[in-house]
Amino acid sequence: MTLRYVTTNEGKVREAREYLDSVEPLDYDYTEVQADTLEPIAAHGAREAFRAAGEEPVIVDDAGLFVEGLGGFPGPYSAYVEDTLGVETVGRVARAELGETPRAAFRCVVAYCDGEGFAATPEPVDLGDRRGADLSAEDRGSAATDDTVAEGSLPVKLFTGSVPGRIVEPRGDGGFGYDPIFEHDGQTLAEMRTEEKNAISHRGRALAKFAEWYAER
Ligand code: ITT
Ligand code: NA
């Protein structure tokens, strides 16, 4: 069965192909529920996309840039803020407000849904990084305000990754989105080749965990 990567972002697909050779992009615009974390957005999107894909296995990838001194802004609103303000303005505002190189992190949540349940294997929790946490129970907690979940909660498995860095003046023309203003270890993500970015990135970490788990599935 084909695994569908539900995204309209070619940059994400390019990065995912390094981990999953048989993945096919699915251009489906899932509803982005409002939340201050990425997990419920990705979980909800995966359930909706699974149904829209004719009940084929899907992964949804929700990511964002979290500037520490701005309370995590733009966080889950990163796509909207990129479209409205633009990446350079976000960088300028952060540096005007917080000084030359404010601390930030990229986070990525990969949500997998194939209609089946998951064995309840207790997973170790590492720093700010919930490895493959099965949030179906947590999601059920919000069912009262969430129509789709109330229809019957499809299990979703989540894989997260994050990378710390600093906001800098834009450099580099690789990558996509906020990559030019995010520096990690002396280089912006836009100055890295795809393999280099994957080796350290939020998405690379989430996808590596997912690919390892999926190979056993
Ligand atoms: P899909 O929802 O179709 O997957 P999107 O680009 O809207 O595409 P997100 O909602 O996950 O995806 O993206 C949130 C924002 O964060 C958006 O502005 C992206 O450009 C940006 N972003 C996501 N991953 C990134 C990365 O690895 N490097 C730089 N910016 C990234
Ligand atoms: Na999105």
Side-chain angles (χ1 to χ4, degrees):
M1 232 189 275
T2 323
L3 176 62
R4 305 288 183 166
Y5 199 96
V6 185
T7 184
T8 53
N9 184 321
E10 283 172 26
K12 287 184 180 180
V13 175
R14 191 170 58 234
E15 291 171 17
R17 286 216 196 281
E18 298 224 337
Y19 296 90
L20 307 159
D21 0 285
S22 65
V23 78
E24 284 296 330
L26 174 65
D27 183 343
Y28 170 70
D29 197 12
Y30 58 87
T31 314
E32 294 211 2
V33 295
Q34 274 214 3
D36 56 12
T37 55
L38 302 175
E39 281 85 351
I41 302 171
H44 184 98
R47 291 194 179 95
E48 194 179 296
F50 170 72
R51 296 195 179 101
E55 312 217 328
E56 296 244 16
V58 295
I59 50 183
V60 158
D61 167 333
D62 199 42
L65 173 69
F66 295 74
V67 180
E68 215 174 273
L70 299 179
F73 178 86
Y77 307 105
S78 294
Y80 175 77
V81 171
E82 181 183 346
D83 291 344
T84 51
L85 289 182
V87 167
E88 297 202 6
T89 304
V90 173
R92 250 194 332 268
V93 167
R95 288 185 296 111
E97 199 60 33
L98 303 167
E100 271 311 291
T101 55
R103 287 148 64 96
F106 269 124
R107 296 196 71 237
C108 176
V109 176
V110 165
Y112 174 79
C113 181
D114 64 9
E116 307 288 328
F118 306 105
T121 43
E123 299 266 5
V125 175
D126 45 12
L127 288 172
D129 200 353
R130 291 196 278 171
R131 176 185 286 256
D134 180 352
L135 285 199
S136 45
E138 182 174 308
D139 254 12
R140 234 173 269 134
S142 63
T145 55
D146 186 331
D147 289 338
T148 307
V149 173
E151 278 178 287
S153 199
L154 278 167
V156 171
K157 186 107 173 148
L158 302 181
F159 301 83
T160 68
S162 64
V163 58
R166 290 186 176 271
I167 303 298
V168 295
E169 279 188 53
R171 300 198 316 263
D173 51 20
F176 64 93
Y178 295 91
D179 284 342
I181 64 160
F182 187 91
E183 187 185 82
H184 176 83
D185 248 356
Q187 271 190 304
T188 69
L189 301 196
E191 291 176 312
M192 300 179 185
R193 287 177 291 115
T194 302
E195 311 87 79
E196 292 176 297
K197 178 182 167 185
N198 272 344
I200 55 98
S201 81
H202 51 312
R203 178 162 302 101
R205 285 167 199 217
L207 285 171
K209 290 178 196 171
F210 171 74
E212 190 187 344
W213 175 84
Y214 189 64
E216 298 291 311
R217 181 111 172 133

